[in-house]
Amino acid sequence: RYTSVRAALQLVDRSGPVNGEHLQRFGDAVKAAAREIAAIAELPEYAPALDQAADLYRFCEDVDVMVGLNVVARTGQVFHGTKIRALAEAAGLHLQPGGLFHYLDEQGGALFSLDNQGAEPFLIDKIRNISTPGITFLLDVPRISDGLRAFDRMVAMSRSFADSLDGILADDNRVPLNDTGLDKIRAQLRAM
């Protein structure tokens, strides 16, 4: 038995803030559910929620950052899936059903991931047949508590992969990444 039930709607996600139409539909659904159980729906005013959603989205735009480090093959070469898998597993990365390797913290949360730059994900039953021009290490900044520590771990691992694969550590434009470029990324993370 319950004397009250609370319904909630996420105001913001990576696609943007909730809009008036979505909020109205949510409110209508809450009212319909309340009628079905002979309850009274008490809804807040929509305008302040929309303002709050817009403010929250502006904040998220500043801090919702994904940092990527690429390891790219030298011209005319590719990386083979079996070699990538062996390196990933040796480094403590775990292949997930969606085709990404994840490096996990002590609690089992993902600190960063490793993705194929090619169209095909790293699926367990297909990885042996994959050859790719590059791989990308991804750090989803707002999802981790110590971004600088995770970034430094990701840099060390991406350098190790670059050495083992005879690849090049590069930015998103395939320009080689040196210590100066990495320090700029660290400074941005520190500011966030």
Side-chain angles (χ1 to χ4, degrees):
R1 295 187 162 274
Y2 298 95
T3 57
S4 66
V5 175
R6 186 172 293 195
L9 175 69
Q10 183 173 319
L11 295 177
V12 174
D13 65 17
R14 286 188 165 148
S15 65
V18 69
N19 63 36
E21 179 185 337
H22 288 119
L23 201 53
Q24 182 66 48
R25 282 199 323 246
F26 176 73
D28 292 345
V30 169
K31 288 175 189 175
R35 279 192 303 274
E36 286 190 28
I37 60 172
I40 299 169
E42 295 176 0
L43 301 173
E45 294 293 321
Y46 292 158
L50 292 171
D51 291 342
Q52 184 181 13
D55 290 344
L56 184 58
Y57 186 68
R58 281 190 293 278
F59 169 76
C60 290
E61 283 182 312
D62 292 336
V63 298
D64 190 11
V65 174
M66 181 89 65
V67 175
L69 299 177
N70 302 292
V71 177
V72 295
R74 296 182 188 280
T75 304
Q77 304 208 353
V78 293
F79 302 143
H80 298 284
T82 52
K83 177 79 172 183
I84 293 167
R85 181 179 181 185
L87 288 171
E89 289 175 352
L93 291 156
H94 302 277
L95 185 56
Q96 303 298 310
L100 293 176
F101 286 95
H102 289 282
Y103 187 76
L104 307 176
D105 63 16
E106 297 80 23
Q107 291 77 34
L111 286 178
F112 54 86
S113 59
L114 171 64
D115 194 7
N116 183 7
Q117 286 184 356
E120 194 170 356
F122 292 129
L123 299 176
I124 192 88
D125 58 339
K126 296 183 179 185
I127 194 167
R128 70 173 97 27
N129 299 321
I130 290 176
S131 59
T132 182
I135 55 177
T136 302
F137 288 86
L138 294 167
L139 175 69
D140 196 355
V141 176
R143 293 180 180 248
I144 54 173
S145 60
D146 189 347
L148 287 173
R149 190 174 129 246
F151 177 73
D152 287 338
R153 179 68 186 121
M154 187 174 79
V155 167
M157 192 176 292
S158 61
R159 283 180 168 159
S160 174
F161 272 64
D163 290 343
S164 297
L165 294 168
D166 190 30
I168 301 163
L169 186 62
D171 65 15
D172 287 338
N173 297 316
R174 298 180 73 86
V175 174
L177 243 164
N178 57 22
D179 287 339
T180 303
L182 293 169
D183 286 342
K184 286 179 184 176
I185 296 170
R186 273 189 201 89
Q188 291 171 336
L189 289 173
R190 210 173 282 116
M192 282 184 256

